[in-house]
Amino acid sequence: MASDPTKPMLRLSPGAPAQRQTGRPANIRRPDPFPRKRQDQQFTPRFARLAQVLQRDPTGLSLRADPTALAPERLLVFEVKGDVANFARAVNRVPGLELIDEEELPSDEDKAPFAYLLVPDLAALRQILSLWQTWLARGELAEGYAPWRDVFACLRDLRVWGPSDRVQPLDAEILEEEVDGRDDDELLTLELELIYRAAAGAGALTENAVVQAIEQAGGRPIHRARIDDIAYHAVLAQIPVAAIRLVIERAPGSLAGVEPIMHIRPQSLVTGIEANDILAPGAPAAEAPVSNASILALLDGVPVAGHPLLRRHLNVEDHFGLEPDALVAQRVHGSAMASLIVHGDRNRPEPPLPRQIHCIPVLGDQDRFPPDRLIVDLIYQAVLQMRGGLQPSAPWVIIVNISLGNLRRPFHGQLSPWARLLDRLAYRFGILFLVSAGNITQSFPVPDFDTRLAFEDASPALRAQGVVRAIGAIVADRRLLSPSESVNGLTIGGRNLDWVSQTDRASARVNVNPFTDLDTANASSALGPGFANSVKPDILMPAAREHLRVIGSGGCVIVSPAGAARGAGLKVAAPPRPGMEGAEAYTNGTSAATALASRTAHRIHDALEAAYGQEFLQLAGTHRAVVIKALMVHHARWPEEAAALVKRLLGPSGRGQASRQKDNIRRFFGYGVFDADDAVACASDRATFWCVGNLGRERVVDVVVPIPAAMGGQARPHAISTTLAWFTPVLPGRKSYRSVRMKILEPEELEGLAVDGHGHQPDMNQTNRGTVYTRHWAGDRAAVVAEGKTITFKIQRDPDPAAPVDDAVPFGLAVTLAMPGELRLYDQVRSRLQPRPPQRATP
């Protein structure tokens, strides 16, 4: 049933927190160690050479001269078998030794954790050698050093961080393209990420050494940034092409051999959008009061602030002075995103938002990142300007739209600095970041069809099947783009949906809609999963019915995602054309989908403000942000036909494969798709409750939900859904990056309500890896509902995986009861909640 704006969501209050019932400790199986004889043969030669050099060269100069030696001020990489707990704490037992990073890479055999240790001096190196020799002789180590024993016993490899690590294959490929055909003395811009040193003095020495190396290579630094909150230290530098060629070759004498450098990358490149089929302005929205108390910020390109659709709705703060260099005719990205947030898709006119959008441009000329700034620092300074300091420029902002991504940084398991920054700022300021998953616009083959004619003439079902199968074969090349792997943010993918009229739809004849009858993700929408195998993207939002261009055939059709157009696009404000001040155009993609998601988040805030007035506005900003986050995901469901198609085509088939099948489905859909109107109001046969609270370490809290009598005694479909959301503090450089974990315990009352967990959702292990935990139960048998019946949901904070976090962490919860066609449901539960939510007076 359609949502009814007169039926607001209903507020609940959590009970008093109690101690979590610990039960029996988890039985964590230690990895099977390698035989000590094997470890002796494998690694003793390296340690023996180290001992010999130290005996005859106490200064370690010989070690430093050898790029492969375990030497002071070198980054050592320990690759171990299985998960070795508590190693991070044991590192501190060796004076001066620094744990720079930990990560866990997937492996066919088992988990493959890596620990990156910086050896500061000869004393630390000698102690590691002593620990190895003691373990080799006795098989044990002194109290407090047991994790070192486990590392030595499970050691797969021990090596120094070298040129091949600093220059990753994908980065080298991009740099090869960049230098091709250029003169040796031409300068190109590179991003050099430094090994982060916690001590400011050590960091300064590191940066000085890198700057000297840049200048010796004939280059010059143009920007630097050090952000302690996320363990980030980087230098942006212009480097001669001749020196870059040596970097590509991983020559030890080049910048690739400079010890304090962690990574060398090409300069970040923003994802772009198109605004096509320019047309005359449509009818403007009705003039209504617009508040300047912004709760939503747009970090994007410079918008056309004077556009008739935007002039009353934007507060532009040009903090970085980018507006003067951005030609008005090129202000596409920021104008389109602002238009979608304020008005939605102009194909379907909706009322504009009641508050101004706070805009800080972070794209300059030609809608590109500024060439002389590190984008991570740019975003950091923008958020600090809005929410930090004594005089923040937008103190009420709790939603931030990031319809941007780094085309040169696909996610391959390791969090980017940009994603780490968003995670930290989300927790620090209580901000919900909505981030686009990214668009993968490269062409790809569709082997099911050998000619263009066969592809075009195929039935919609066969064409959709061929495209899904083709994308499934190349999922590794269609990963999320930084910073969409953010743990605290919501990542938005593109849904094959728009509101183009049938008349305009008929004009889209040149290209082919691969999913004519299928509600699914667009072919260009980047795929998950996210960090630590979490569910990403979180949701899909309308991104236009993306068509495909057939650009080759001859045994195999090759297709490429087409740009937006009148027949397949979202209608937005566009830069002016001669004689056309209020021009409009069409756009598409995950950037646009994210803007529509931000609009939905704002509408949720508006709905709760309208229903509860100051009671809602006086909640802490973090509480409002996390309940909006929960409600954004809460109504999302896998599109059944599309999910079934992915399951059938990509499998894997056979018994016991359900979890792996769901892995493939969630790559495409995350938690699913939904109608934005469902997120802002209830219906006669559907009631949604919301709740906020705080949860301390290893605590549990009860939330009691009334069950309407109308749900009892009827053998008809009914459902219960719950979604929990929070912002976790993060530990940069640690495998246990997500410091706080929460979940909803399965209620005891489910059996009496005749519902079971349904299969059209990620399983509990998959949904328990991020900062959203959602479960859905459904059934069609008659439930037993006595007068005054309730169901209790327990929200539990699990033990912190690393250093304990003593702070109570805010959470937001959404719960929905639904029985399609049972029109008494909402009124019955509302009557049991006293007092009823007050209506805000209309200004």
Side-chain angles (χ1 to χ4, degrees), residues 58 122 147 170 189 325 337 359 382 433 534 559 581 590 633 639 807 836:
L122 284 169
L170 177 61
T189 306
D325 294 330
M337 297 306 105
C359 302
F433 287 97
S534 60
V559 300
E581 179 190 9
T590 61
V633 175
D807 295 341
R836 294 187 179 188

Short mmCIF file of all heavy atoms in Angstrom, two decimals, residues 58 122 147 170 189 325 337 359 382 433 534 559 581 590 633 639 807 836:
data_model
loop_
_atom_site.label_atom_id
_atom_site.label_comp_id
_atom_site.label_asym_id
_atom_site.label_seq_id
_atom_site.Cartn_x
_atom_site.Cartn_y
_atom_site.Cartn_z
N PRO A 58 78.74 -3.00 13.53
CA PRO A 58 77.75 -2.60 14.55
C PRO A 58 76.86 -1.44 14.13
O PRO A 58 75.78 -1.25 14.68
CB PRO A 58 78.64 -2.19 15.74
CG PRO A 58 79.96 -2.86 15.48
CD PRO A 58 80.11 -2.90 14.00
N LEU A 122 68.97 -0.16 15.37
CA LEU A 122 69.66 -1.45 15.50
C LEU A 122 69.22 -2.21 16.75
O LEU A 122 69.17 -3.44 16.74
CB LEU A 122 71.18 -1.22 15.53
CG LEU A 122 71.82 -0.89 14.18
CD1 LEU A 122 73.24 -0.43 14.37
CD2 LEU A 122 71.77 -2.11 13.28
N PRO A 147 52.73 -13.95 21.39
CA PRO A 147 52.31 -13.70 20.00
C PRO A 147 53.47 -13.73 19.01
O PRO A 147 53.28 -14.10 17.85
CB PRO A 147 51.67 -12.30 20.07
CG PRO A 147 51.17 -12.20 21.48
CD PRO A 147 52.22 -12.88 22.29
N LEU A 170 48.51 -1.70 -11.11
CA LEU A 170 47.53 -0.81 -11.74
C LEU A 170 48.07 0.61 -11.84
O LEU A 170 47.90 1.28 -12.87
CB LEU A 170 46.23 -0.81 -10.93
CG LEU A 170 45.13 0.14 -11.43
CD1 LEU A 170 44.71 -0.21 -12.86
CD2 LEU A 170 43.92 0.11 -10.50
N THR A 189 52.23 15.14 -12.38
CA THR A 189 51.97 15.18 -10.94
C THR A 189 51.71 13.78 -10.39
O THR A 189 50.91 13.02 -10.94
CB THR A 189 50.75 16.08 -10.65
OG1 THR A 189 50.97 17.36 -11.23
CG2 THR A 189 50.55 16.24 -9.15
N ASP A 325 37.88 30.29 -11.47
CA ASP A 325 38.49 29.56 -12.60
C ASP A 325 37.52 28.58 -13.25
O ASP A 325 37.87 27.95 -14.26
CB ASP A 325 39.73 28.80 -12.13
CG ASP A 325 40.85 29.73 -11.70
OD1 ASP A 325 40.93 30.84 -12.27
OD2 ASP A 325 41.62 29.36 -10.81
N MET A 337 24.02 17.81 -9.45
CA MET A 337 23.82 17.18 -8.14
C MET A 337 22.95 18.05 -7.24
O MET A 337 22.06 17.55 -6.54
CB MET A 337 25.18 16.92 -7.47
CG MET A 337 26.09 15.94 -8.21
SD MET A 337 25.32 14.35 -8.59
CE MET A 337 25.00 14.54 -10.34
N CYS A 359 26.85 24.30 0.02
CA CYS A 359 27.75 23.81 -1.03
C CYS A 359 29.16 24.33 -0.81
O CYS A 359 29.36 25.55 -0.72
CB CYS A 359 27.26 24.26 -2.41
SG CYS A 359 25.61 23.72 -2.84
N ALA A 382 37.34 20.98 4.10
CA ALA A 382 35.96 21.40 3.85
C ALA A 382 35.06 21.04 5.03
O ALA A 382 34.23 21.84 5.47
CB ALA A 382 35.45 20.75 2.57
N PHE A 433 27.66 10.31 5.67
CA PHE A 433 28.18 10.53 4.32
C PHE A 433 27.49 9.56 3.37
O PHE A 433 27.45 8.35 3.61
CB PHE A 433 29.70 10.30 4.28
CG PHE A 433 30.51 11.38 4.93
CD1 PHE A 433 30.96 11.22 6.24
CD2 PHE A 433 30.82 12.55 4.26
CE1 PHE A 433 31.70 12.20 6.86
CE2 PHE A 433 31.56 13.54 4.88
CZ PHE A 433 32.01 13.38 6.17
N SER A 534 32.25 -6.69 3.71
CA SER A 534 30.96 -6.15 4.15
C SER A 534 30.04 -5.92 2.95
O SER A 534 30.47 -5.93 1.80
CB SER A 534 31.18 -4.83 4.90
OG SER A 534 31.82 -3.89 4.06
N VAL A 559 30.02 -4.08 -25.96
CA VAL A 559 29.11 -2.99 -25.64
C VAL A 559 29.79 -2.02 -24.68
O VAL A 559 30.77 -2.35 -24.01
CB VAL A 559 27.81 -3.50 -25.01
CG1 VAL A 559 27.07 -4.44 -25.96
CG2 VAL A 559 28.06 -4.20 -23.67
N GLU A 581 18.76 30.92 -20.01
CA GLU A 581 19.35 31.08 -18.67
C GLU A 581 19.08 29.86 -17.78
O GLU A 581 19.96 29.41 -17.05
CB GLU A 581 18.79 32.33 -18.00
CG GLU A 581 19.33 32.55 -16.59
CD GLU A 581 18.59 33.65 -15.85
OE1 GLU A 581 17.55 34.12 -16.38
OE2 GLU A 581 19.04 34.04 -14.75
N THR A 590 25.85 6.66 -10.92
CA THR A 590 25.79 6.54 -9.46
C THR A 590 25.93 7.88 -8.76
O THR A 590 25.49 8.03 -7.62
CB THR A 590 26.86 5.57 -8.94
OG1 THR A 590 28.16 6.06 -9.30
CG2 THR A 590 26.69 4.17 -9.54
N VAL A 633 18.30 2.29 4.84
CA VAL A 633 18.51 0.90 4.46
C VAL A 633 17.30 0.04 4.77
O VAL A 633 17.06 -0.99 4.13
CB VAL A 633 19.77 0.34 5.18
CG1 VAL A 633 19.97 -1.14 4.90
CG2 VAL A 633 21.01 1.13 4.76
N PRO A 639 15.50 -7.02 -5.45
CA PRO A 639 14.47 -7.21 -6.48
C PRO A 639 14.41 -8.70 -6.85
O PRO A 639 15.39 -9.25 -7.34
CB PRO A 639 14.97 -6.34 -7.64
CG PRO A 639 16.44 -6.19 -7.42
CD PRO A 639 16.66 -6.25 -5.93
N ASP A 807 33.83 4.78 25.33
CA ASP A 807 32.72 5.67 25.05
C ASP A 807 31.45 4.89 24.70
O ASP A 807 31.50 3.85 24.04
CB ASP A 807 33.06 6.59 23.87
CG ASP A 807 34.20 7.54 24.18
OD1 ASP A 807 34.47 7.75 25.37
OD2 ASP A 807 34.81 8.07 23.24
N ARG A 836 0.67 10.45 21.78
CA ARG A 836 0.85 10.43 20.34
C ARG A 836 1.85 11.51 19.93
O ARG A 836 1.96 12.54 20.60
CB ARG A 836 -0.48 10.65 19.63
CG ARG A 836 -1.48 9.53 19.86
CD ARG A 836 -2.70 9.72 18.99
NE ARG A 836 -3.65 8.63 19.18
CZ ARG A 836 -4.74 8.47 18.44
NH1 ARG A 836 -5.02 9.34 17.49
NH2 ARG A 836 -5.55 7.46 18.67
#
